[in-house]
Amino acid sequence: MRSRSFRVGAGLFAVLAAIGCSAKSGGSGFNQGDITGTSGASGTAANTSNGGSSGSSPAFQTAPDPTTTMTPFIMPPSQVDSGVNSKCGAVEVPAGIEMTETVVDVPGNVLFVFDQSASMNDMWNGTTKIQGAIDAINMAFDPVKDKLSAGVVFFPHVDPTTGQSGCDWAANWLNCLLTLPTTTICLDVDPIGTPPQIPIQAGPAFLNAWNAYWAPPVAAKGAGTPTEKGMLAGEAALMTPPPGNTVMVLVTDGAPTCGMNEQAPAQRLLQKNIKTYVIGLPGAAGTAVLDNVAIAGGTAPAGCTQNCFISPMDSAALQMVFSNIATTVVTTMKKVSIKDCNFQLTPPGNANPSDVHLIVTDTTSNMQYEVPQMATNGWTLSADYKTATLTGSICDGAKSGAYSNFSFQYGCVMVPPLPIR
């Protein structure tokens, strides 16, 4: 985590003034001045969500009236002064505030859909495929375990008591023969909440559960490769995605033994901004189904139609693949916090306190909200209109980095009220 303090001078913390315009008038939107992350700079404010750079203020995007198409508009000061279209003109009013900028890691989430069919016991460069995958996940995730959450959908089903799947041919060979398609090549896949599946959890707990599942002797246990059922179970596990960047990782060593539409779950997850990576271990080369899943999951190279999934040469390469995925999942966020909840303003001479609005941008959602004027959990304005004071949870949130920028506006605003927590 990196922090630095700086002071935003006059003109950097931009305050907009709209003359003689009420919130009910349906007026145009306005440019918003934001706090910039540049230390000691001067000029018009820039958006702090991208680190900040000096230059012209970006257009303030207001929520459109349901019956009116609105165009962002700034009245040049010369026209405001001359009274041209003064119903919704705007002038910038400078203010100053001391800020602290902190860059923090945002934890991510990885859900493995992991093939545990018997072919994973085959040898691969001096070890079994299953052991190579186990070791690669451990080595890749241990350095970043405090920044990641992870879980696993194992496929096919394995009885947690016997540790085996499929049909018991020795005890009931006739029934096994009669039900061959469903008991051998297309077993069900347990939902994420049913053992031995591992629900998404913090990195250290995940690694403990992962290694406990593979207690010696390590061996793949399943019969058949019902990849589509595994993908569907993974999709169901991500029905409500956890906070943070999330990806699904399919690990398998060959073509499915049943299923017809393995790519559909990946396609639906991508619509939720959840990508699906496909890792094909030896035996998977040339499998068109896996190409289709990688394409549908948004991780295939652009324009790829064949060999579109990841095919590591050995367990060391597989570890690098997992490390790269972990790096992609963990993101960073710039938090801007204030040191003092008093803002010094320089309002227009004819400012009406009822027309003063405080707009904040929520750091997590990047949505803009209006903070109510109130003595608790809001903000107050001094009698001379020159000092704004944040109160209660709003002040606490601003000091902890809950808001990425602030803007006082005089006149029209069309943003929803801030939900008070």
Side-chain angles (χ1 to χ4, degrees), residues 135-219:
D135 293 342
I137 288 176
N138 279 323
M139 289 186 285
F141 275 53
D142 187 68
V144 292
K145 61 187 176 184
D146 294 327
K147 301 177 183 180
L148 280 175
S149 293
V152 186
V153 169
F154 296 105
F155 72 98
H157 166 82
V158 168
D159 189 301
T161 302
T162 65
Q164 299 298 319
S165 66
C167 197
D168 188 346
W169 287 82
N172 195 357
W173 67 269
L174 181 58
N175 183 65
C176 293
L177 184 62
L178 294 175
T179 58
L180 182 64
T182 58
T183 59
T184 301
I185 65 173
C186 206
L187 290 172
D188 287 333
V189 175
D190 298 312
I192 193 68
T194 301
Q197 312 294 43
I198 303 176
I200 293 178
Q201 54 198 277
F206 161 72
L207 288 176
N208 288 338
W210 169 253
N211 288 303
Y213 181 72
W214 297 112
V218 174

Coordinates of all heavy atoms in Angstrom, one line a residue, residues 135-219:
D135 N 0.4 -29.1 -7.3 CA 1.6 -28.3 -7.0 C 1.6 -26.9 -7.6 O 2.0 -26.0 -7.0 CB 2.9 -29.1 -7.4 CG 3.1 -30.4 -6.6 OD1 2.5 -30.5 -5.6 OD2 3.8 -31.3 -7.1
A136 N 1.2 -26.8 -8.8 CA 1.2 -25.6 -9.5 C 0.3 -24.6 -8.9 O 0.6 -23.4 -8.7 CB 0.8 -25.8 -11.0
I137 N -0.9 -25.0 -8.5 CA -1.8 -24.1 -7.8 C -1.3 -23.7 -6.4 O -1.3 -22.5 -6.1 CB -3.2 -24.8 -7.6 CG1 -3.9 -24.9 -9.0 CG2 -4.1 -24.1 -6.6 CD1 -5.2 -25.7 -9.0
N138 N -0.7 -24.6 -5.7 CA -0.1 -24.2 -4.4 C 1.0 -23.2 -4.6 O 1.0 -22.2 -3.8 CB 0.5 -25.5 -3.7 CG -0.6 -26.3 -3.0 OD1 -1.5 -25.8 -2.4 ND2 -0.4 -27.6 -3.1
M139 N 1.9 -23.4 -5.5 CA 3.1 -22.5 -5.7 C 2.6 -21.1 -6.2 O 3.2 -20.1 -5.9 CB 4.1 -23.1 -6.5 CG 4.9 -24.3 -5.8 SD 6.2 -25.0 -6.8 CE 5.3 -25.9 -8.0
A140 N 1.6 -21.1 -7.1 CA 1.2 -19.9 -7.7 C 0.4 -19.1 -6.7 O 0.5 -17.8 -6.7 CB 0.4 -20.2 -8.9
F141 N -0.4 -19.7 -5.9 CA -1.4 -19.0 -5.0 C -0.8 -18.6 -3.7 O -1.3 -17.6 -3.0 CB -2.7 -19.8 -4.9 CG -3.6 -19.6 -6.0 CD1 -3.2 -19.7 -7.3 CD2 -4.9 -19.2 -5.7 CE1 -4.1 -19.5 -8.3 CE2 -5.8 -19.0 -6.7 CZ -5.4 -19.1 -8.0
D142 N 0.2 -19.4 -3.2 CA 0.7 -19.1 -1.8 C 1.2 -17.6 -1.7 O 0.9 -17.0 -0.7 CB 1.8 -20.1 -1.4 CG 2.2 -19.9 0.0 OD1 1.4 -20.2 0.9 OD2 3.4 -19.5 0.2
P143 N 2.0 -17.1 -2.7 CA 2.5 -15.7 -2.5 C 1.4 -14.7 -2.5 O 1.7 -13.6 -2.0 CB 3.4 -15.6 -3.7 CG 3.8 -16.9 -4.2 CD 2.5 -17.7 -3.9
V144 N 0.3 -14.9 -3.0 CA -0.8 -13.9 -3.1 C -2.0 -14.4 -2.4 O -3.1 -13.8 -2.6 CB -1.1 -13.6 -4.6 CG1 0.0 -12.9 -5.3 CG2 -1.5 -14.9 -5.4
K145 N -1.9 -15.3 -1.5 CA -3.1 -15.9 -0.8 C -3.9 -14.9 0.0 O -5.1 -15.0 0.2 CB -2.7 -17.0 0.1 CG -1.7 -16.7 1.2 CD -1.2 -17.9 2.0 CE -0.2 -17.5 3.0 NZ 0.3 -18.7 3.7
D146 N -3.2 -13.8 0.5 CA -3.9 -12.8 1.2 C -4.7 -11.8 0.3 O -5.4 -10.9 0.8 CB -3.0 -12.0 2.1 CG -2.4 -12.9 3.2 OD1 -3.1 -13.8 3.7 OD2 -1.2 -12.7 3.6
K147 N -4.5 -11.9 -1.0 CA -5.1 -11.0 -1.9 C -6.2 -11.7 -2.8 O -6.8 -11.1 -3.7 CB -4.1 -10.4 -2.9 CG -3.0 -9.5 -2.1 CD -2.0 -9.0 -3.1 CE -0.9 -8.2 -2.4 NZ 0.1 -7.7 -3.4
L148 N -6.3 -13.0 -2.6 CA -7.2 -13.8 -3.4 C -8.2 -14.6 -2.5 O -7.9 -15.0 -1.4 CB -6.4 -14.8 -4.2 CG -5.8 -14.3 -5.5 CD1 -4.9 -15.4 -6.1 CD2 -6.8 -13.8 -6.5
S149 N -9.4 -14.9 -3.1 CA -10.3 -15.9 -2.6 C -10.4 -16.9 -3.7 O -10.3 -16.6 -4.9 CB -11.6 -15.3 -2.2 OG -11.5 -14.5 -1.1
A150 N -10.7 -18.2 -3.4 CA -10.8 -19.2 -4.4 C -11.7 -20.3 -3.9 O -11.9 -20.5 -2.7 CB -9.4 -19.7 -4.8
G151 N -12.1 -21.1 -4.9 CA -13.0 -22.3 -4.6 C -12.8 -23.3 -5.7 O -12.2 -22.9 -6.8
V152 N -13.4 -24.4 -5.6 CA -13.3 -25.5 -6.6 C -14.6 -26.2 -6.7 O -15.2 -26.6 -5.8 CB -12.2 -26.5 -6.2 CG1 -12.0 -27.5 -7.4 CG2 -10.9 -25.9 -5.8
V153 N -15.0 -26.4 -8.0 CA -16.0 -27.4 -8.4 C -15.3 -28.6 -9.0 O -14.7 -28.5 -10.1 CB -17.0 -26.8 -9.4 CG1 -17.9 -27.9 -9.9 CG2 -17.8 -25.7 -8.7
F154 N -15.2 -29.7 -8.3 CA -14.6 -30.9 -8.8 C -15.6 -31.7 -9.7 O -16.8 -31.7 -9.3 CB -14.2 -31.9 -7.7 CG -13.1 -31.3 -6.8 CD1 -13.4 -30.8 -5.5 CD2 -11.8 -31.3 -7.3 CE1 -12.4 -30.3 -4.7 CE2 -10.8 -30.8 -6.4 CZ -11.1 -30.3 -5.2
F155 N -15.2 -32.2 -10.8 CA -16.1 -33.0 -11.6 C -15.3 -34.3 -12.1 O -14.1 -34.2 -12.4 CB -16.7 -32.2 -12.8 CG -15.7 -31.8 -13.9 CD1 -15.7 -32.6 -15.1 CD2 -14.9 -30.7 -13.8 CE1 -14.8 -32.2 -16.1 CE2 -14.1 -30.4 -14.8 CZ -14.0 -31.1 -16.0
P156 N -15.9 -35.4 -12.2 CA -17.3 -35.7 -11.8 C -17.5 -35.9 -10.3 O -16.6 -35.7 -9.6 CB -17.6 -37.0 -12.6 CG -16.3 -37.7 -12.6 CD -15.3 -36.6 -12.7
H157 N -18.7 -36.3 -9.9 CA -19.0 -36.6 -8.5 C -18.2 -37.7 -8.0 O -17.9 -38.7 -8.6 CB -20.5 -37.0 -8.4 CG -20.8 -37.7 -7.1 ND1 -21.1 -36.9 -6.0 CD2 -20.9 -39.0 -6.8 CE1 -21.4 -37.8 -5.0 NE2 -21.3 -39.0 -5.4
V158 N -17.7 -37.5 -6.7 CA -17.0 -38.5 -6.0 C -17.6 -38.7 -4.6 O -17.9 -37.7 -4.0 CB -15.5 -38.2 -5.8 CG1 -14.8 -39.1 -4.8 CG2 -14.8 -38.2 -7.2
D159 N -17.9 -39.9 -4.3 CA -18.5 -40.2 -3.0 C -17.6 -39.8 -1.9 O -16.4 -40.3 -1.8 CB -18.9 -41.6 -2.8 CG -19.7 -41.9 -1.6 OD1 -19.3 -41.6 -0.5 OD2 -20.8 -42.5 -1.8
P160 N -17.9 -38.8 -1.0 CA -17.0 -38.4 0.0 C -16.7 -39.4 1.1 O -15.6 -39.3 1.7 CB -17.7 -37.2 0.7 CG -19.2 -37.4 0.4 CD -19.2 -38.1 -0.9
T161 N -17.5 -40.5 1.2 CA -17.2 -41.5 2.1 C -16.2 -42.6 1.6 O -15.2 -42.9 2.2 CB -18.5 -42.3 2.5 OG1 -19.4 -41.3 3.1 CG2 -18.2 -43.3 3.5
T162 N -16.5 -43.0 0.3 CA -15.6 -44.0 -0.3 C -14.5 -43.4 -1.0 O -13.5 -44.1 -1.3 CB -16.4 -44.9 -1.2 OG1 -16.9 -44.1 -2.3 CG2 -17.6 -45.5 -0.5
G163 N -14.6 -42.2 -1.4 CA -13.6 -41.5 -2.2 C -13.6 -42.0 -3.7 O -12.6 -41.8 -4.4
Q164 N -14.6 -42.7 -4.1 CA -14.7 -43.2 -5.5 C -16.0 -42.7 -6.1 O -16.9 -42.3 -5.5 CB -14.7 -44.7 -5.4 CG -13.4 -45.3 -4.9 CD -12.2 -44.9 -5.7 OE1 -12.2 -44.9 -6.9 NE2 -11.1 -44.6 -5.0
S165 N -16.0 -42.8 -7.5 CA -17.2 -42.4 -8.2 C -17.6 -43.5 -9.2 O -16.8 -44.5 -9.4 CB -17.0 -41.1 -9.0 OG -16.0 -41.3 -10.0
G166 N -18.7 -43.4 -9.8 CA -19.1 -44.4 -10.8 C -19.8 -45.6 -10.1 O -20.3 -45.5 -9.0
C167 N -19.9 -46.6 -10.8 CA -20.7 -47.8 -10.4 C -19.8 -48.9 -9.8 O -18.6 -49.0 -10.3 CB -21.4 -48.3 -11.6 SG -22.8 -49.5 -11.3
D168 N -20.3 -49.5 -8.8 CA -19.6 -50.6 -8.2 C -19.8 -51.9 -9.0 O -20.8 -52.7 -8.7 CB -20.0 -50.8 -6.7 CG -19.1 -51.8 -6.0 OD1 -18.4 -52.5 -6.6 OD2 -19.2 -51.8 -4.7
W169 N -19.0 -52.2 -10.0 CA -19.2 -53.3 -10.9 C -19.1 -54.7 -10.1 O -19.8 -55.6 -10.5 CB -18.2 -53.3 -12.0 CG -18.5 -52.2 -13.0 CD1 -18.2 -50.9 -12.9 CD2 -19.2 -52.3 -14.2 NE1 -18.7 -50.2 -14.0 CE2 -19.3 -51.1 -14.8 CE3 -19.8 -53.4 -14.9 CZ2 -19.9 -50.8 -16.0 CZ3 -20.4 -53.2 -16.1 CH2 -20.5 -51.9 -16.7
A170 N -18.2 -54.7 -9.1 CA -18.1 -56.0 -8.4 C -19.3 -56.4 -7.6 O -19.7 -57.5 -7.5 CB -16.9 -55.9 -7.5
A171 N -20.0 -55.3 -7.1 CA -21.1 -55.6 -6.2 C -22.5 -55.7 -7.0 O -23.4 -56.4 -6.6 CB -21.3 -54.5 -5.2
N172 N -22.5 -55.0 -8.1 CA -23.8 -54.9 -8.8 C -23.6 -54.7 -10.3 O -24.0 -53.7 -10.9 CB -24.7 -53.7 -8.2 CG -26.1 -53.8 -8.7 OD1 -26.5 -54.7 -9.4 ND2 -26.9 -52.9 -8.1
W173 N -22.9 -55.7 -11.0 CA -22.5 -55.5 -12.3 C -23.7 -55.4 -13.3 O -23.6 -54.6 -14.3 CB -21.6 -56.7 -12.8 CG -22.4 -58.0 -12.8 CD1 -22.5 -58.9 -11.8 CD2 -23.1 -58.5 -13.9 NE1 -23.2 -60.0 -12.2 CE2 -23.6 -59.8 -13.5 CE3 -23.4 -58.1 -15.2 CZ2 -24.4 -60.6 -14.4 CZ3 -24.1 -58.9 -16.1 CH2 -24.6 -60.1 -15.6
L174 N -24.8 -56.0 -13.0 CA -26.0 -56.0 -13.9 C -26.5 -54.6 -13.9 O -26.8 -54.0 -15.0 CB -27.0 -57.0 -13.5 CG -28.3 -57.0 -14.4 CD1 -27.9 -57.3 -15.8 CD2 -29.3 -58.0 -13.8
N175 N -26.7 -54.0 -12.8 CA -27.3 -52.6 -12.7 C -26.3 -51.6 -13.4 O -26.7 -50.7 -14.1 CB -27.5 -52.2 -11.3 CG -28.2 -50.9 -11.1 OD1 -29.3 -50.6 -11.6 ND2 -27.4 -49.9 -10.6
C176 N -25.0 -51.8 -13.2 CA -24.0 -51.0 -13.8 C -24.1 -51.0 -15.3 O -24.0 -50.0 -16.0 CB -22.6 -51.3 -13.3 SG -22.3 -51.0 -11.6
L177 N -24.3 -52.2 -15.8 CA -24.4 -52.4 -17.3 C -25.6 -51.7 -17.8 O -25.6 -51.1 -18.9 CB -24.4 -53.9 -17.6 CG -24.4 -54.3 -19.1 CD1 -23.1 -53.8 -19.7 CD2 -24.5 -55.8 -19.3
L178 N -26.8 -51.9 -17.1 CA -28.0 -51.3 -17.6 C -28.0 -49.8 -17.5 O -28.7 -49.1 -18.3 CB -29.2 -51.9 -16.8 CG -29.4 -53.4 -16.9 CD1 -30.5 -53.9 -16.0 CD2 -29.8 -53.7 -18.4
T179 N -27.3 -49.2 -16.6 CA -27.3 -47.8 -16.4 C -25.9 -47.2 -16.8 O -25.5 -46.1 -16.3 CB -27.6 -47.4 -15.0 OG1 -26.6 -48.0 -14.1 CG2 -29.0 -47.9 -14.6
L180 N -25.2 -47.8 -17.8 CA -23.9 -47.4 -18.2 C -23.7 -45.9 -18.5 O -22.8 -45.3 -18.0 CB -23.4 -48.3 -19.3 CG -22.0 -48.0 -19.8 CD1 -21.0 -48.4 -18.8 CD2 -21.7 -48.9 -21.1
P181 N -24.6 -45.4 -19.3 CA -24.4 -44.0 -19.7 C -24.4 -43.0 -18.5 O -23.6 -42.0 -18.6 CB -25.6 -43.7 -20.7 CG -26.0 -45.0 -21.2 CD -25.8 -45.9 -20.0
T182 N -25.2 -43.2 -17.5 CA -25.3 -42.3 -16.4 C -24.4 -42.6 -15.3 O -24.2 -41.8 -14.4 CB -26.8 -42.2 -15.9 OG1 -27.2 -43.5 -15.5 CG2 -27.7 -41.6 -17.0
T183 N -24.0 -43.9 -15.2 CA -23.2 -44.3 -14.0 C -21.7 -44.3 -14.3 O -20.9 -44.5 -13.4 CB -23.7 -45.6 -13.5 OG1 -23.5 -46.6 -14.5 CG2 -25.1 -45.6 -13.0
T184 N -21.3 -44.2 -15.5 CA -19.9 -44.3 -15.9 C -19.4 -43.1 -16.7 O -18.3 -42.5 -16.3 CB -19.6 -45.6 -16.6 OG1 -20.1 -46.7 -15.9 CG2 -18.2 -45.7 -16.9
I185 N -20.1 -42.7 -17.7 CA -19.6 -41.6 -18.5 C -20.2 -40.3 -18.3 O -19.7 -39.3 -18.8 CB -19.7 -42.0 -20.0 CG1 -21.2 -42.1 -20.4 CG2 -18.9 -43.3 -20.3 CD1 -21.3 -42.3 -21.9
C186 N -21.3 -40.2 -17.6 CA -21.9 -38.9 -17.4 C -22.5 -38.7 -16.0 O -23.7 -38.5 -15.8 CB -23.1 -38.7 -18.4 SG -23.4 -36.9 -18.8
L187 N -21.6 -38.9 -15.0 CA -22.0 -38.7 -13.6 C -22.4 -37.3 -13.3 O -22.0 -36.3 -14.0 CB -20.8 -39.1 -12.7 CG -20.4 -40.5 -12.7 CD1 -19.1 -40.7 -11.9 CD2 -21.5 -41.3 -12.0
D188 N -23.2 -37.1 -12.3 CA -23.6 -35.7 -11.9 C -22.4 -35.0 -11.3 O -21.3 -35.6 -11.0 CB -24.7 -35.8 -10.9 CG -26.0 -36.2 -11.5 OD1 -26.2 -35.9 -12.8 OD2 -26.9 -36.8 -10.9
V189 N -22.5 -33.7 -11.1 CA -21.5 -32.9 -10.4 C -22.2 -32.2 -9.3 O -23.3 -31.6 -9.4 CB -21.0 -31.8 -11.4 CG1 -20.0 -30.9 -10.7 CG2 -20.3 -32.5 -12.6
D190 N -21.6 -32.3 -8.1 CA -22.2 -31.7 -6.9 C -22.2 -30.2 -6.9 O -21.3 -29.6 -7.5 CB -21.4 -32.2 -5.6 CG -21.5 -33.7 -5.5 OD1 -22.6 -34.2 -5.6 OD2 -20.4 -34.3 -5.3
P191 N -23.2 -29.6 -6.4 CA -23.2 -28.1 -6.3 C -22.1 -27.6 -5.3 O -21.6 -28.4 -4.5 CB -24.6 -27.8 -5.7 CG -25.1 -29.0 -5.1 CD -24.4 -30.2 -5.8
I192 N -21.8 -26.3 -5.4 CA -20.7 -25.8 -4.7 C -20.8 -26.0 -3.1 O -19.8 -26.1 -2.4 CB -20.5 -24.3 -5.0 CG1 -19.1 -23.8 -4.5 CG2 -21.6 -23.5 -4.5 CD1 -17.9 -24.3 -5.2
G193 N -22.0 -26.0 -2.6 CA -22.2 -26.2 -1.2 C -22.2 -27.6 -0.7 O -22.3 -27.8 0.6
T194 N -22.0 -28.5 -1.5 CA -22.0 -30.0 -1.1 C -20.5 -30.5 -1.1 O -19.8 -30.4 -2.1 CB -22.8 -30.8 -2.1 OG1 -24.2 -30.3 -2.1 CG2 -22.8 -32.2 -1.7
P195 N -20.1 -31.0 0.0 CA -18.7 -31.6 0.1 C -18.6 -32.7 -1.0 O -19.6 -33.4 -1.2 CB -18.6 -32.2 1.5 CG -19.6 -31.4 2.3 CD -20.7 -31.1 1.3
P196 N -17.5 -32.9 -1.6 CA -16.2 -32.3 -1.3 C -15.9 -31.0 -2.0 O -14.8 -30.5 -2.0 CB -15.2 -33.3 -1.7 CG -15.8 -33.9 -2.9 CD -17.3 -33.9 -2.6
Q197 N -16.9 -30.4 -2.6 CA -16.7 -29.1 -3.3 C -16.2 -28.1 -2.3 O -16.5 -28.1 -1.1 CB -17.9 -28.6 -4.0 CG -18.7 -29.6 -4.9 CD -17.9 -30.1 -6.1 OE1 -16.7 -30.3 -6.0 NE2 -18.6 -30.2 -7.2
I198 N -15.4 -27.1 -2.8 CA -14.8 -26.1 -1.9 C -15.4 -24.7 -2.3 O -15.1 -24.2 -3.3 CB -13.3 -26.1 -2.1 CG1 -12.7 -27.4 -1.7 CG2 -12.7 -25.0 -1.1 CD1 -11.2 -27.5 -2.0
P199 N -16.3 -24.2 -1.4 CA -16.9 -22.9 -1.7 C -15.8 -21.8 -1.8 O -14.7 -22.0 -1.2 CB -17.8 -22.6 -0.6 CG -18.1 -24.0 0.0 CD -16.8 -24.8 -0.2
I200 N -16.0 -20.7 -2.5 CA -15.1 -19.6 -2.6 C -14.8 -19.0 -1.2 O -15.8 -18.7 -0.4 CB -15.6 -18.5 -3.5 CG1 -15.6 -19.0 -4.9 CG2 -14.7 -17.3 -3.4 CD1 -16.1 -18.1 -6.0
Q201 N -13.5 -19.0 -0.8 CA -13.2 -18.5 0.6 C -11.8 -17.9 0.5 O -11.1 -17.9 -0.5 CB -13.2 -19.7 1.5 CG -12.3 -20.8 1.1 CD -12.7 -22.1 1.9 OE1 -12.2 -22.3 3.0 NE2 -13.5 -23.0 1.3
A202 N -11.4 -17.2 1.6 CA -10.1 -16.5 1.6 C -9.0 -17.4 1.3 O -9.0 -18.6 1.6 CB -9.9 -15.9 3.0
G203 N -7.9 -16.9 0.7 CA -6.8 -17.6 0.1 C -6.2 -18.7 1.1 O -6.1 -19.8 0.8
P204 N -5.9 -18.3 2.3 CA -5.3 -19.2 3.3 C -6.2 -20.4 3.6 O -5.8 -21.6 3.6 CB -5.0 -18.4 4.5 CG -4.8 -17.0 4.0 CD -5.8 -16.9 2.9
A205 N -7.5 -20.1 3.8 CA -8.5 -21.2 4.1 C -8.7 -22.1 2.8 O -8.8 -23.3 2.9 CB -9.8 -20.6 4.5
F206 N -8.6 -21.5 1.6 CA -8.8 -22.3 0.4 C -7.6 -23.2 0.3 O -7.8 -24.4 0.0 CB -8.8 -21.4 -0.8 CG -8.5 -22.1 -2.1 CD1 -9.4 -23.0 -2.6 CD2 -7.3 -21.9 -2.7 CE1 -9.1 -23.7 -3.8 CE2 -6.9 -22.6 -3.9 CZ -7.9 -23.5 -4.4
L207 N -6.4 -22.8 0.5 CA -5.2 -23.6 0.3 C -5.3 -24.8 1.3 O -4.9 -25.9 1.0 CB -3.9 -22.9 0.5 CG -3.6 -21.9 -0.7 CD1 -2.3 -21.1 -0.4 CD2 -3.4 -22.7 -2.0
N208 N -5.7 -24.5 2.5 CA -5.9 -25.6 3.5 C -6.9 -26.6 3.1 O -6.6 -27.8 3.1 CB -6.3 -25.0 4.9 CG -5.2 -24.2 5.6 OD1 -4.0 -24.5 5.3 ND2 -5.5 -23.3 6.5
A209 N -8.0 -26.2 2.6 CA -9.1 -27.1 2.1 C -8.6 -27.9 0.9 O -8.9 -29.1 0.7 CB -10.3 -26.3 1.8
W210 N -7.9 -27.2 0.0 CA -7.4 -27.8 -1.3 C -6.4 -28.9 -1.0 O -6.6 -30.0 -1.5 CB -6.7 -26.7 -2.1 CG -5.9 -27.1 -3.3 CD1 -4.5 -27.1 -3.4 CD2 -6.4 -27.6 -4.5 NE1 -4.2 -27.6 -4.6 CE2 -5.3 -27.9 -5.4 CE3 -7.7 -27.8 -5.1 CZ2 -5.4 -28.3 -6.7 CZ3 -7.8 -28.3 -6.4 CH2 -6.7 -28.5 -7.1
N211 N -5.5 -28.7 -0.1 CA -4.5 -29.7 0.2 C -5.1 -30.8 1.1 O -4.6 -32.0 1.0 CB -3.3 -29.1 0.9 CG -2.5 -28.2 -0.1 OD1 -2.0 -28.7 -1.1 ND2 -2.3 -27.0 0.2
A212 N -6.1 -30.5 1.9 CA -6.7 -31.5 2.7 C -7.5 -32.5 1.8 O -7.5 -33.7 2.1 CB -7.7 -30.9 3.7
Y213 N -8.0 -32.0 0.7 CA -8.8 -32.9 -0.2 C -7.8 -33.9 -0.9 O -8.2 -35.0 -1.1 CB -9.5 -32.0 -1.3 CG -10.3 -32.9 -2.2 CD1 -11.5 -33.5 -1.8 CD2 -9.9 -33.0 -3.6 CE1 -12.2 -34.3 -2.7 CE2 -10.6 -33.8 -4.5 CZ -11.7 -34.4 -4.0 OH -12.5 -35.2 -4.9
W214 N -6.6 -33.4 -1.2 CA -5.7 -34.3 -1.9 C -4.7 -34.9 -0.9 O -3.5 -35.2 -1.2 CB -4.9 -33.4 -2.9 CG -5.7 -32.8 -4.0 CD1 -6.0 -31.5 -4.2 CD2 -6.4 -33.6 -5.0 NE1 -6.8 -31.4 -5.3 CE2 -7.1 -32.6 -5.8 CE3 -6.5 -34.9 -5.3 CZ2 -7.8 -32.9 -6.9 CZ3 -7.3 -35.3 -6.4 CH2 -7.9 -34.3 -7.2
A215 N -5.2 -35.3 0.3 CA -4.3 -36.0 1.2 C -3.8 -37.3 0.6 O -4.6 -38.0 -0.1 CB -5.1 -36.3 2.5
P216 N -2.6 -37.7 0.9 CA -2.0 -38.9 0.3 C -2.8 -40.1 0.6 O -3.4 -40.2 1.7 CB -0.6 -38.9 0.9 CG -0.3 -37.5 1.3 CD -1.6 -36.9 1.7
P217 N -2.8 -41.1 -0.3 CA -2.2 -41.1 -1.6 C -2.9 -40.2 -2.6 O -4.2 -40.3 -2.7 CB -2.2 -42.5 -2.0 CG -3.4 -43.1 -1.4 CD -3.5 -42.4 -0.1
V218 N -2.2 -39.3 -3.3 CA -2.9 -38.4 -4.3 C -3.2 -39.2 -5.5 O -2.3 -39.8 -6.2 CB -1.9 -37.3 -4.6 CG1 -2.6 -36.4 -5.7 CG2 -1.7 -36.4 -3.4
A219 N -4.5 -39.1 -5.9 CA -4.9 -39.8 -7.2 C -6.2 -39.2 -7.6 O -7.1 -38.9 -6.8 CB -5.0 -41.3 -6.9

